[in-house]
Amino acid sequence: SWSRGLGDVYKRLTRTLESGAYRYQLLETIRHYAKEKLLESGESDSTRESHYQYYYKLSEQAYKENTRKYEYWVNRLELEHENIIAALEWIRDDIEKRLQLACVLGWFWYYENAYCILGLEYLKDAENCPEEAILTKARALTNQAMLLFASGDMEGLSKIDSCLELWDSLKNREDKVKSLFNYVILQAAMQDYKAAHDAATEIEEIALELDDKYLILQSKTAHLMVYISQLQVDLAEPLAVQNLKDAVALNDFLMKQFALHFYSDCAIMRMDFKEAEKRYSVGMKNSLDYGNHFGAANESQGMVFALSGQARYTKALHLQGALDAKYDEYGIITPQFKFWIDWVEEYVYGARKDVGEEKSAQYEHEGSQI
């Protein structure tokens, strides 16, 4: 809705914080005028430093609390995103300070809005972070690895190998779990299931030692990922059901999303395509309820498999066209797991073969325009 009674001073009402306070955006003309006045005052540098410190502390808090207060922090960072980008731009040439802020935003860029291109730009040079800034370097390499993976660049594996050594020297177990979880994803994608299993087991050991229910659930999710990647449906399905219950009880959105997605994958493995369609639709709704576009894209791809498995090729290819357009927009690709790539071959390329090249192109183009 448009703000009333403020004339040309304010533009568009954006979001409402948990406190109920409203936020407005300044018109660009007002913004430029204020910037000129700030420069004239001679206080530009100190103001920018204060601005940076405020948004660094905010983002650091979000990084630490995102599992337990996911919805709040997603909304808050979305609300503040333009200010955060402004802070990053002001210190772009200061590698350490840029990475210090960017490294605590990687989870948001990856999971919530799939800002892969944006995130990789601000996390570039992670390996050149000053040696004394070990925590920043370890976090930056972890998040850079995942954004590279999402964009289809497997260089991320070498980067996450490097940062695991840094975590060992830091003895920061909570942060190491974040890195190990990403390591499981990458190793499963590389089909090194033993390495993925060992990392999942290490997460479990740390979680039990810390007696942290959230980390325990994360370790179970890591094990679930390994089972799914090997198509071990009899092990995966009951664990997905239990993880879903635990995630709901803890109000852990991300682990809930993983559980819903892997539960849906199990239906594809059993070739129960109608059930898979139902399950993926629940996962898609869950993602969209939280504005998680990356998660919604993965559920959409699963829906394509389920529709194609039912020989509903027109709808499947319409959805594939829409999905490909989103992947291009976000700068990401189809998840690089062998079983997922095999399903793309079977259910997407298979549908195109059955429908024919001309009709497939037509249906996918129509889908991309939606």
Side-chain angles (χ1 to χ4, degrees):
S1 61
W2 289 89
S3 56
R4 298 178 179 178
L6 292 173
D8 292 333
V9 177
Y10 296 111
K11 191 168 68 173
R12 188 176 178 183
L13 176 63
T14 52
R15 288 196 182 210
T16 304
L17 280 173
E18 197 175 68
S19 64
Y22 292 118
R23 281 298 183 92
Y24 300 88
Q25 289 179 314
L26 286 172
L27 283 169
E28 284 303 308
T29 50
I30 303 296
R31 190 189 304 274
H32 287 308
Y33 176 74
K35 183 178 179 180
E36 288 175 5
K37 289 297 181 182
L38 178 61
L39 289 170
E40 289 175 8
S41 73
E43 298 178 0
S44 176
D45 289 344
S46 61
T47 300
R48 287 181 173 185
E49 177 63 19
S50 296
H51 182 274
Y52 170 84
Q53 290 298 333
Y54 175 83
Y55 284 104
Y56 167 65
K57 290 175 183 177
L58 181 79
S59 301
E60 170 82 12
Q61 186 178 357
Y63 174 82
K64 291 180 177 178
E65 297 179 357
N66 64 66
T67 298
R68 292 161 175 78
K69 297 176 66 176
Y70 185 90
E71 185 176 9
Y72 171 77
W73 282 114
V74 162
N75 288 336
R76 186 68 187 274
L77 292 181
E78 185 66 42
L79 178 70
E80 302 285 6
H81 202 230
E82 287 187 16
N83 277 317
I84 291 169
I85 296 302
L88 285 164
E89 282 298 313
W90 286 339
I91 46 83
R92 174 184 280 272
D93 295 331
D94 186 327
I95 293 178
E96 183 177 350
K97 292 186 75 171
R98 167 166 49 82
L99 291 175
Q100 184 183 44
L101 176 53
C103 73
V104 291
L105 292 164
W107 69 274
F108 174 72
W109 289 329
Y110 177 77
Y111 283 115
E112 183 54 28
N113 288 294
Y115 289 144
C116 286
I117 297 173
L118 180 72
L120 286 171
E121 174 63 23
Y122 290 117
L123 284 165
K124 67 182 181 181
D125 307 325
E127 63 278 3
N128 296 327
C129 185
E131 291 300 324
E132 62 272 16
I134 302 176
L135 178 61
T136 294
K137 187 171 185 176
R139 286 176 171 177
L141 286 169
T142 297
N143 287 286
Q144 186 186 38
M146 290 311 295
L147 291 173
L148 284 169
F149 171 68
S151 65
D153 187 343
M154 295 309 291
E155 183 188 355
L157 187 59
S158 64
K159 293 183 181 297
I160 209 162
D161 273 330
S162 300
C163 69
L164 284 175
E165 296 175 7
L166 294 173
W167 289 126
D168 287 336
S169 68
L170 285 165
K171 302 187 184 306
N172 183 325
R173 292 178 296 177
E174 290 85 351
D175 263 12
K176 186 179 181 182
V177 165
K178 296 176 187 290
S179 191
L180 282 168
F181 189 80
N182 291 334
Y183 187 77
V184 172
I185 295 173
L186 286 169
Q187 290 291 9
M190 294 294 289
Q191 301 175 62
D192 189 341
Y193 303 123
K194 183 183 184 306
H197 170 77
D198 289 348
T201 300
E202 187 174 354
I203 295 173
E204 183 179 4
E205 291 169 353
I206 294 172
L208 291 172
E209 188 178 337
L210 296 175
D211 192 24
D212 188 315
K213 293 180 180 179
Y214 290 91
L215 296 186
I216 290 170
L217 176 56
Q218 199 165 354
S219 73
K220 291 179 179 179
T221 302
H223 281 297
L224 176 56
M225 192 178 307
V226 179
Y227 296 150
I228 287 288
S229 298
Q230 297 177 89
L231 303 178
Q232 295 176 324
V233 64
D234 291 338
L235 292 173
E237 197 157 26
L239 184 54
V241 172
Q242 184 58 54
N243 281 4
L244 181 57
K245 292 178 182 177
D246 293 343
V248 170
L250 292 171
N251 194 30
D252 187 331
F253 167 78
L254 279 180
M255 297 306 111
K256 177 184 176 184
Q257 187 60 40
F258 276 113
L260 285 170
H261 181 76
F262 291 144
Y263 184 55
S264 305
D265 289 346
C266 289
I268 295 287
M269 292 178 197
R270 297 190 186 282
M271 301 187 74
D272 187 345
F273 299 113
K274 287 187 178 181
E275 179 63 20
E277 181 183 359
K278 292 177 184 177
R279 293 182 185 183
Y280 283 122
S281 67
V282 173
M284 186 184 299
K285 182 179 185 303
N286 186 68
S287 291
L288 293 175
D289 283 348
Y290 285 87
N292 186 327
H293 305 302
F294 184 46
N298 288 336
E299 304 311 314
S300 297
Q301 187 67 76
M303 286 284 286
V304 172
F305 302 154
L307 292 167
S308 179
Q310 299 172 64
R312 295 162 64 188
Y313 298 135
T314 302
K315 188 170 184 179
L317 292 173
H318 274 143
L319 183 54
Q320 187 65 50
L323 180 60
D324 286 342
K326 284 296 180 185
Y327 278 148
D328 288 343
E329 178 184 343
Y330 298 146
I332 60 178
I333 63 171
T334 299
Q336 296 298 290
F337 295 90
K338 183 182 184 303
F339 76 95
W340 200 255
I341 294 170
D342 289 344
W343 288 352
V344 170
E345 181 70 28
E346 182 173 358
Y347 298 114
V348 178
Y349 287 94
R352 290 168 179 164
K353 183 178 179 180
D354 284 350
V355 170
E357 184 177 339
E358 184 177 341
K359 281 291 185 182
S360 295
Q362 175 191 331
Y363 294 152
E364 292 182 59
H365 176 72
E366 289 171 353
S368 70
Q369 302 304 304
I370 295 174

